[in-house]
Amino acid sequence: MNLAIDLSKVRIKEAEIDALAPRAEEACLALCSGNTEFTGWVRLPQEYDHEELATVLAAAEEIKKKCSLLIVIGIGGSYLGARAVIEALQSQTILDGNCPDKAENRGVRILFAGNNISGIYHMEILHALMREETCLCVISKSGMTTEPLIAFTVLKDALIRKYGEKEAKKRIYAITDRQKGVLREEADREGYTVFAVPEDIGGRYSVLTPVGLLPIAAAGIDVKELLAGAKEAGAAFWVSEEAGHRKEFCGGDEKTAAYRYAAARYLLEKKGKTVEIFEYYEPRLAYFAEWLKQLFGESEGKEGKGLFPASLSFSADLHSMGQFLQEGRQIFFETILYVKKPGCDIIIPESAGIPLAGKSMNQVNEAAMIGVIAAHEKVGIPMIKIEIPELTPYYFGQMIYFFEMTCAVTGGLMGINPFNQPGVESYKAEMQKELQRQTVALGGAEV
Ligand code: PA5
């Protein structure tokens, strides 16, 4: 794996991390055994279904030929992974060829819908649909989630108005359960192109399934490289065949990066550092931080346990939250996502004066990071630095797998199930009650 995990400023003794080796090993083996529910993602990059990948890529090509805009409808795990990758790797600068060290990207524009219930947000998307050659990709594992189903009905109606029923159906791609749910029934009935979400993979671990791969490929990003990176990161955790025998192998070297990071997170929580702040200096990582927040928040936050995941964009947030970090209540630790080679760069003109003139923006950005680390070290903030060589699909695949594994191992250490989310049902039940109340108040029938 090419990510470098620096725990030298975490303020936890090596011996404490080492002492967790047997428990981390146990958690890790449970994940790799194939006997734990919802762990299909562990082997996914190694055992990817190549036939399915070919059909996903063919669908992405079809979208690129027919459409200039793809509207991806989904919420939570059904959109955050794709958005994280697309916002980090599909940039207009690269599209326009203004960033010479980057490959040309020929994907379609992607907009995301159904991740909120705002009328004005969706009105803007409707306008884009009317203006551009549009395809829809609706994603819901359960096929029952309110937000994407509302957005889908609204956008599908508009698509039919624009293209007619027959053509609209050819422009709809659905990703849902293999057998059940309202969306599956509709997709089968109407003849949409449809892909299945594997049963043993939950939403927030599903970015390397068609859920993420179809939108990412349509955006012109190399998904084979993404999978290859994840495979490389996963190779540290298990070996499938040895002398003809399947051999489970999980974190054989207890110094495995994800395991040590998981152990540090677990210990920090025990020491009262209950907030993990993901910090990045490349704004393109904003949605990766959102994906991390969902991954860790939904996986760990149960039974009164778990780290609260937060994120900050630097240097912007140094001018707001920087004050709290330096002098506020010390309930947090920092996980710095540092991109070693950020790519395009700009030289600062002479008119900026010394010491800025002649330096590159990326150079000053790095100086900001070094300065922040030094300042925070002075007040004893625990810090973990994760060095990412470059923002490419290959390293992104490694990041996805690495954080998924860290999250699942930390869940094992915390003694919680990192693959369910019983808490999110509560608001849904209350929202349904309120909708019923409104329906009755308007003189409608109770369902
Ligand atoms: O991680 C999860 O399981 C959730 O965030 C789901 O992805 C989210 O609630 C959307 O569910 P669905 O894909 O069933 O519409």
Side-chain angles (χ1 to χ4, degrees), residues 34-206:
N35 300 325
T36 307
E37 266 194 323
F38 294 111
T39 52
W41 57 272
V42 175
R43 284 152 190 227
L44 183 72
Q46 269 80 9
E47 294 181 346
Y48 206 83
D49 176 345
H50 291 277
E51 256 176 57
E52 182 181 64
L53 180 59
T55 54
V56 167
L57 291 174
E61 283 310 310
E62 200 177 88
I63 292 170
K64 286 195 250 175
K65 272 197 205 114
K66 267 194 300 224
C67 300
S68 58
L69 170 67
L70 176 68
I71 303 176
V72 177
I73 306 163
I75 197 164
S78 286
Y79 98 105
L80 277 169
R83 190 160 191 175
V85 177
I86 292 167
E87 303 235 338
L89 302 181
Q90 190 196 47
S91 101
Q92 199 53 47
T93 313
I94 297 168
L95 276 174
D96 295 346
N98 288 333
C99 195
D101 58 335
K102 298 280 172 195
E104 214 175 320
N105 177 322
R106 294 196 180 277
V108 297
R109 189 162 90 93
I110 311 281
L111 288 177
F112 294 91
N115 54 67
N116 61 65
I117 324 174
S118 157
I120 190 160
Y121 179 94
H122 287 89
M123 185 62 85
E124 280 172 20
I125 291 185
L126 267 177
H127 281 292
L129 182 155
M130 296 320 278
R131 274 194 314 268
E132 293 180 49
E133 283 300 336
T134 302
C135 290
L136 301 183
C137 176
V138 54
I139 310 173
S140 175
K141 186 178 183 194
S142 62
M144 313 277 278
T145 309
T146 308
E147 292 89 337
L149 286 189
I150 294 174
F152 182 47
T153 51
V154 168
L155 295 169
K156 182 180 57 182
D157 272 9
L159 203 73
I160 294 172
R161 279 199 304 278
K162 180 170 174 180
Y163 295 108
E165 207 160 324
K166 198 164 159 220
E167 176 59 22
K169 284 179 190 172
K170 293 189 196 154
R171 290 171 179 257
I172 297 176
Y173 297 79
I175 305 174
T176 187
D177 187 87
R178 203 172 293 281
Q179 283 162 343
K180 54 183 193 304
V182 182
L183 184 56
R184 165 55 70 174
E185 281 164 30
E186 179 176 331
D188 288 344
R189 189 180 62 240
E190 304 296 335
Y192 307 151
T193 302
V194 62
F195 294 96
V197 187
E199 256 167 52
D200 57 351
I201 301 183
R204 57 192 176 276
Y205 295 83
S206 70

Side-chain angles (χ1 to χ4, degrees), residues 17-27 254 259 413:
I17 292 180
D18 290 342
L20 280 171
R23 286 179 56 202
E25 188 78 356
E26 201 185 308
E254 76 274 356
Y259 146 61
L413 292 174

Side-chain angles (χ1 to χ4, degrees), residues 372-399:
V372 170
I373 292 176
H376 290 186
E377 208 173 359
K378 283 193 183 138
V379 289
I381 300 171
M383 284 174 274
I384 296 162
K385 187 165 137 202
I386 300 185
E387 188 179 296
I388 304 151
E390 263 183 277
L391 289 182
T392 64
Y394 185 76
Y395 297 130
F396 228 91
Q398 293 197 358
M399 285 152 68

